[in-house]
């Protein structure tokens, strides 16, 4: 870090000299004069061949000195300025220009206890990186030979594979800073239970115990829906000026990409706009902030009409408590009204409900919320078939049999931890049996 500060001080000192000389052009000209190689430009068409030849030689001698001078000026300028952030990314070097509620931006930052950042240099200080590194992390290319993410797939509970884009260490550190210092401090609705301290799939399920009917809905393409513009809007609403909000949004988004081979070189082609990648540490918290108005609208409807409402990431859950249902006109009309309102609100917020992931669970049938059974007035619990599966996996290991395809010890430990969350005694018992193996 000390070397970076020393380099920055050197560039700043040199750039101050350039500015005091009247700018890059005048600075370079003054140095050319000092070296005695500055050439006043003339009309070569009026010269004879001998004079023209001598003039060209003078220009060549001047260029020998001019090029390294210009290169030095450009190096210092780019070390102290963002300059450009890639295709389709608007950037202006003067980040103080802002016409969006400028008088109240600072107050909003103070209200949320967010760091005051007004220049790219101040953001670099917070992230402990150089301006060049910030530009490198933010720069967007439609076709790139390298990116700041690695991709892999994990199996979905419903079948198929989910693609995860995990940031490389340098970008991951910057995203962790955004998460801790900004994203986690943004306003989130009380109906949200995902990715929040003290909340979990268990706290989400508790809200719906003893229900006469439970309705669950999933939002389609949840993370990709929150594009660069929407993420930038989150930071703008938090109180950051346009330029800083753009940098923060670029740090937290990436375009969905397809990997192709071109003449033996791997190229990552952007297949859509930049959005929140599933795999970034900052993405979940930013989705909670982005869903604030959605949660307010759906919670308001639910409270007015006797429903209970929670959201865990892209999973929306509504339920009617047993006592409330006795006075309800009919389940059918209430559910029909619920579907119509939720679809309208969700689409108005730029999202979409997955029709194939909508479930209505009545009394007498298994009612499941974020993977936990909530029938009756008992506490949420893991499905019986899951507990049987875990016991069978441990039994097979004890007999020396291999786990089935797609299963692993880490997966088994995760399932036991899931059971432990709802039933600590049973979870400890299963873990002890696994240790014995």
């Amino acid at each position: 870090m000390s070397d970076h500060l020393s380099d920055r001080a050197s560039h700043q000192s040199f750039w101050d000299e350039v500015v005091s000389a009247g700018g890059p052009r005048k600075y370079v000209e003054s140095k050319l004069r000092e070296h005695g190689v500055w050439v006043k430009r003339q009309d070569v068409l009026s010269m004879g061949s001998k004079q023209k030849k001598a003039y060209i030689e003078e220009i060549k001698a001047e260029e020998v000195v001019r090029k390294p001078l210009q290169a030095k000026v450009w190096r210092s300028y780019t070390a102290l300025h963002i300059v450009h952030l890639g295709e389709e990314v608007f950037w202006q070097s003067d980040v103080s220009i802002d016409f969006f509620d400028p008088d109240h931006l600072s107050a909003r930052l103070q209200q949320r206890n967010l760091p005051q950042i007004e220049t790219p240099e101040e953001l670099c200080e917070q992230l402990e990186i150089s301006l060049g590194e910030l530009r490198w992390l933010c720069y967007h290319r439609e076709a790139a030979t390298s990116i700041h993410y690695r991709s892999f797939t994990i199996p979905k509970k419903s079948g198929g594979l989910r693609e995860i884009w995990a940031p490389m260490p340098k970008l991951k550190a910057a995203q962790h800073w955004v998460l801790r210092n900004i994203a986690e401090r943004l306003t989130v609705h009380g109906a949200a239970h995902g990715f929040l301290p003290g909340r979990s799939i268990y706290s989400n399920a508790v809200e719906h115990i003893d229900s006469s009917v439970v309705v669950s809905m999933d939002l389609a393409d949840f993370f990709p829906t929150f594009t660069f513009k929407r993420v930038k809007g989150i930071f703008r609403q938090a109180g950051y000026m346009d330029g800083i909000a753009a940098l923060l949004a670029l740090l937290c988004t990436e375009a969905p990409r397809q990997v192709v081979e071109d003449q033996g070189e791997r190229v990552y082609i952007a297949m859509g706009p930049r959005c929140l990648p599933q795999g970034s540490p900052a993405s979940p918290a930013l989705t909670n902030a982005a869903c604030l108005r959605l949660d307010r609208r759906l919670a308001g409807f639910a409270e007015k009409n006797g429903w209970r409402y929670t959201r865990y990431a892209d999973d929306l859950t509504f339920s009617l408590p047993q006592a409330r249902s006795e006075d309800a006109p009919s389940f059918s009309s209430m559910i029909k009204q619920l579907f119509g309102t939720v679809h309208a609100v969700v689409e108005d917020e730029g999202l979409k409900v997955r029709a194939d992931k909508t479930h209505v669970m009545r009394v007498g049938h298994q009612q499941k919320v974020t993977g936990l059974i909530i029938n009756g007035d008992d506490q949420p619990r893991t499905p019986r078939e899951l507990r049987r599966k875990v016991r069978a996996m441990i039994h097979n290991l004890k007999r020396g049999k291999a786990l089935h395809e797609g299963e692993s010890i880490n997966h088994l430990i995760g399932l036991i931890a899931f059971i432990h969350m709802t039933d600590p005694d049973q979870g400890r018992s299963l873990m002890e049996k696994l240790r014995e193996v």
Side-chain angles (χ1 to χ4, degrees), residues 289-303:
C291 285
L292 177 61
R293 193 171 68 172
L294 171 72
D295 290 334
R296 281 175 175 167
R297 295 176 69 180
L298 293 180
F301 165 80
E303 183 178 2

Side-chain angles (χ1 to χ4, degrees), residues 122-257:
E122 291 176 355
L123 178 57
C124 288
E125 289 177 11
Q126 294 283 355
L127 298 176
E128 297 186 351
I129 60 176
S130 68
L131 199 70
E133 288 174 317
L134 177 62
R135 184 170 54 245
W136 174 61
L137 293 175
C138 292
Y139 202 92
H140 175 76
R141 289 183 176 86
E142 289 295 305
T145 54
S146 65
I147 57 174
H148 299 289
Y149 291 83
R150 61 183 181 88
S151 66
F152 56 91
T153 58
I154 59 174
K156 294 182 180 180
K157 290 182 180 178
S158 58
L161 297 173
R162 173 178 285 111
E163 191 169 23
I164 303 296
W165 288 85
M168 303 298 277
K170 180 73 74 171
L171 179 59
K172 187 176 182 179
Q175 291 175 348
H176 267 299
W177 183 91
V178 174
L179 172 65
R180 292 191 304 269
N181 296 279
I182 300 177
E184 288 183 341
R185 301 179 187 181
L186 300 177
T187 305
V188 175
H189 196 275
H193 285 261
F195 322 112
L196 291 167
R199 297 201 165 193
S200 63
I201 58 174
Y202 183 82
S203 69
N204 184 63
V206 164
E207 297 291 327
H208 301 282
I209 59 173
D210 196 24
S211 297
S212 57
V213 63
V214 178
V215 179
S216 69
M217 304 181 188
D218 270 20
L219 300 175
D221 301 321
F222 188 60
F223 285 93
T225 300
F226 299 101
T227 60
F228 167 76
K229 289 183 179 180
R230 295 184 71 166
V231 176
K232 180 181 174 181
I234 296 172
F235 294 117
R236 298 285 282 119
Q237 185 63 33
Y240 289 104
M241 302 185 80
D242 187 86
I244 302 304
L247 291 171
L248 292 170
L250 287 167
L251 286 172
C252 296
T253 59
E254 175 57 283
R257 293 184 182 271

Side-chain angles (χ1 to χ4, degrees), residues 306-318:
W307 293 91
R308 297 177 292 196
Y309 163 70
T310 61
R311 181 183 58 80
Y312 189 95
D314 58 351
D315 191 344
L316 313 179
T317 305
F318 298 84

Side-chain angles (χ1 to χ4, degrees), residues 297-347:
R297 295 176 69 180
L298 293 180
F301 165 80
E303 183 178 2
K304 183 178 179 180
N305 293 276
W307 293 91
R308 297 177 292 196
Y309 163 70
T310 61
R311 181 183 58 80
Y312 189 95
D314 58 351
D315 191 344
L316 313 179
T317 305
F318 298 84
S319 65
L320 282 175
Q322 291 277 8
R324 172 67 181 82
S325 64
E326 294 175 1
D327 302 324
S330 75
F331 282 160
S332 297
S333 61
M334 293 188 72
I335 292 172
K336 184 178 180 180
Q337 180 194 32
L338 175 69
F339 283 174
T341 301
V342 172
H343 278 262
V345 170
V346 166
E347 290 178 12

